[in-house]
Amino acid sequence: MNVTVEKNGNEATLKINVPAATVDTGFKQAVQKIAGSVNIPGFRKGKAPRKIVEMHYGKEAVKQEAFDIVVNKAYREALQHEKLNPVADPKIEESVFEEGQDMETIIKVTLKPEPELGEYKGLTAEKKEATVSDEEVEKAVNELRNRHAKMVLAEEGTVIEKGDFAIIDFVGTVDGEPFSGGEGKGYPLEVGFNSFIPGFEDQLIGLKKGDSTDVDVTFPEDYFVKELAGKEAIFKVNIQDVRRKELPELTDEYVAANSDFKTVEELRANYKERMQKAAEMNAKTAYESALIKTAAANAKFEVPDIMIEDRITQMVDELRLNLENRRMNLETYMQYTGMDMEKIREDQRNAAKETVKTDLVLDAVAKAENLQVDMNDIDAEIAAIASQHGASINDVKKIIRSNNSIGLLLANILRRKAARVIIDSGK
């Protein structure tokens, strides 16, 4: 077999020539494969002669099967011999394939990029100081109280503030015409929660029970009801009542009855400790992410579109799975958000590109640093996965084998090691 390779960026053109003898062997293998997989009357599986096989399934079917056998084997050998790493299925541009003749074929394929690394050691990034204020702790404590809040009628004459519930009647029109879903009576609207059309709730602030007003709003361009998207609307609103949250008094007795702590002091101390740890972790994660992002930005290469599209598909599949775990499906989600699949994919594009670019740079750093994976690394990774998902180590190993995902496992370990090289040398 003879192979020549022409590269143009991440694209490669392979010109492959296979001897006639190999082509003829491919035809024999094709006949054996077809004969062994079908039932032909009067013959045991695999025993029908070629003429009989061709009578039942056609010469073209045999030829196509032979071509698939020969070209796939030649393609695999060419990749191995030329040390090429494709990221997409190949495209056959031209081919000459006849029994008793040399096969000539031209195949185009997208290759995994080889980034030209820039600086990735000794990088500088800001590491913010992780501090938690008393006000933040108090806000978290009040969230506990909010879970046990009562809604009580506000005193006569109370004006609406953020956090209040306005009990409203409303009728909406677009171009003077009412629309479906634009009318309600006794609707409890939490002002400041932003559950209505943007700008609607703000126009209720300062009103009181018995007041009426016209609320002018514009539906968002991505509103889930396409007929209303981007349209201006007027809502005639009447305030039936104003209700206000009444929080329980924060006492030792309340804390003991509604938490794992006995006193207000213990509750605040625990909240502050947990919030401080979370803030420190967030600051650390942001710092490390900034270093890796800088290393990726310093590298020079183009990310193939096919890799971005594949990553977007993975992200959509992850979204679908997350929705199913919350007892929702992607179709319902699209109806609710007013998005279609094209919009969902486009929204994921930038993140997908950054993820692919970062992975490729980490792969290149691992290669440049000659990083290796040993059995201790693999055992630790499997143990971590098992712990994260509440599974046994043997179950994780079985899943990895059945999904043939050992390559992905090794890649993830190497990328984390490469990330540590960048992070540990950072400033």
Side-chain angles (χ1 to χ4, degrees):
M1 184 179 76
N2 183 44
V3 180
T4 60
V5 179
E6 295 177 4
K7 292 184 181 179
N8 181 17
N10 296 321
E11 303 297 322
T13 300
L14 284 65
K15 296 180 180 179
I16 303 175
N17 180 280
V18 176
T22 303
V23 173
D24 292 346
T25 300
F27 271 87
K28 292 177 183 177
Q29 291 172 338
V31 171
Q32 291 174 354
K33 183 176 179 181
I34 295 174
S37 61
V38 297
N39 291 314
I40 298 179
F43 297 91
R44 287 181 295 163
K45 274 191 176 182
K47 297 300 181 180
R50 177 172 176 172
K51 285 186 178 181
I52 300 298
V53 172
E54 289 178 342
M55 283 176 57
H56 278 77
Y57 296 96
K59 290 184 177 182
E60 282 303 313
V62 173
K63 182 179 179 180
Q64 184 60 52
E65 185 66 43
F67 177 75
D68 291 344
I69 290 171
V70 175
V71 79
N72 286 336
K73 183 173 184 292
Y75 175 66
R76 290 194 302 270
E77 290 177 355
L79 293 181
Q80 186 175 4
H81 183 266
E82 300 295 328
K83 296 182 172 57
L84 302 177
N85 191 357
V87 294
D89 292 334
K91 293 181 180 179
I92 297 174
E93 297 287 308
E94 299 176 25
S95 63
V96 175
F97 187 77
E98 296 292 342
E99 193 169 8
Q101 297 181 22
D102 290 356
M103 181 188 78
E104 295 179 2
T105 187
I106 297 176
I107 298 176
K108 288 192 174 181
V109 65
T110 302
L111 302 176
K112 180 180 178 180
E114 297 182 3
E116 180 186 336
L117 291 174
E119 293 293 332
Y120 62 87
K121 289 182 180 179
L123 302 176
T124 300
E126 180 185 6
K127 188 174 184 181
K128 294 183 179 179
E129 184 179 354
T131 57
V132 177
S133 66
D134 290 341
E135 289 77 11
E136 290 173 313
V137 174
E138 206 59 30
K139 183 179 178 181
V141 170
N142 281 333
E143 287 177 3
L144 173 65
R145 296 172 68 198
N146 268 305
R147 290 201 291 269
H148 300 94
K150 296 178 181 178
M151 298 306 302
V152 298
L153 281 174
E155 294 181 4
E156 197 71 27
T158 296
V159 297
I160 297 171
E161 298 175 0
K162 283 189 176 182
D164 290 342
F165 275 83
I167 312 303
I168 62 172
D169 301 331
F170 62 89
V171 177
T173 58
V174 172
D175 297 330
E177 296 293 329
F179 56 89
S180 176
E183 181 176 357
K185 290 186 178 297
Y187 185 90
L189 177 64
E190 185 175 3
V191 178
F193 190 68
N194 296 322
S195 61
F196 249 39
I197 306 160
F200 188 103
E201 296 167 20
D202 292 341
Q203 296 178 56
L204 302 185
I205 294 175
L207 301 178
K208 59 184 184 297
K209 178 180 177 180
D211 285 348
S212 296
T213 190
D214 286 351
V215 174
D216 298 329
V217 293
T218 300
F219 286 96
E221 293 292 341
D222 59 353
Y223 194 64
F224 69 93
V225 180
K226 292 184 178 180
E227 293 77 11
L228 299 176
K231 296 288 184 66
E232 294 180 356
I234 298 174
F235 285 85
K236 293 189 175 298
V237 179
N238 177 64
I239 311 298
Q240 275 194 18
D241 261 319
V242 179
R243 294 178 181 269
R244 184 159 286 175
K245 287 182 181 179
E246 186 177 84
L247 300 180
E249 186 179 358
L250 188 61
T251 64
D252 291 346
E253 291 75 19
Y254 170 76
V255 168
N258 295 282
S259 73
D260 296 328
F261 307 97
K262 295 180 179 179
T263 66
V264 174
E265 185 178 354
E266 286 181 6
L267 177 70
R268 286 196 175 109
N270 179 268
Y271 271 39
K272 183 155 191 174
E273 181 183 357
R274 287 192 289 116
M275 291 171 70
Q276 181 64 35
K277 287 180 179 178
E280 290 171 358
M281 180 59 69
N282 290 338
K284 179 174 179 286
T285 300
Y287 164 70
E288 293 178 350
S289 296
L291 289 172
I292 293 171
K293 189 173 182 178
T294 301
N298 289 343
K300 295 179 182 178
F301 68 105
E302 291 296 324
V303 180
D305 289 340
I306 186 63
M307 296 186 75
I308 298 172
E309 293 298 330
D310 286 347
R311 181 56 188 150
I312 291 173
T313 298
Q314 291 176 19
M315 295 169 77
V316 171
D317 288 343
E318 290 165 5
L319 172 62
R320 189 190 305 274
L321 184 60
N322 288 336
L323 290 170
E324 288 173 356
N325 288 338
R326 295 191 308 224
R327 297 184 179 181
M328 188 186 293
N329 58 53
L330 189 57
E331 289 68 30
T332 303
Y333 172 81
M334 288 192 290
Q335 290 175 3
Y336 180 77
T337 59
M339 300 172 73
D340 56 18
M341 183 55 69
E342 182 180 352
K343 181 68 167 61
I344 288 176
R345 292 184 67 88
E346 191 57 36
D347 284 354
Q348 304 281 10
R349 185 167 302 281
N350 288 337
K353 184 175 181 178
E354 287 303 312
T355 299
V356 173
K357 185 174 183 179
T358 299
D359 284 348
L360 290 169
V361 169
L362 291 176
D363 290 344
V365 170
K367 184 178 179 180
E369 295 290 323
N370 195 27
L371 301 179
Q372 304 294 327
V373 176
D374 58 31
M375 284 308 302
N376 290 333
D377 296 322
I378 295 173
D379 289 342
E381 181 76 2
I382 290 174
I385 295 172
S387 176
Q388 180 182 356
H389 295 281
S392 72
I393 289 175
N394 285 335
D395 285 341
V396 173
K397 287 181 178 179
K398 288 178 182 177
I399 292 171
I400 291 171
R401 283 196 296 269
S402 64
N403 292 341
N404 196 27
S405 54
I406 185 65
L408 179 60
L409 183 78
L410 297 177
N412 287 337
I413 295 172
L414 273 177
R415 286 169 186 162
R416 272 198 294 277
K417 286 191 170 190
R420 290 288 3 142
V421 170
I422 299 170
I423 294 164
D424 292 344
S425 67
K427 301 175 184 178

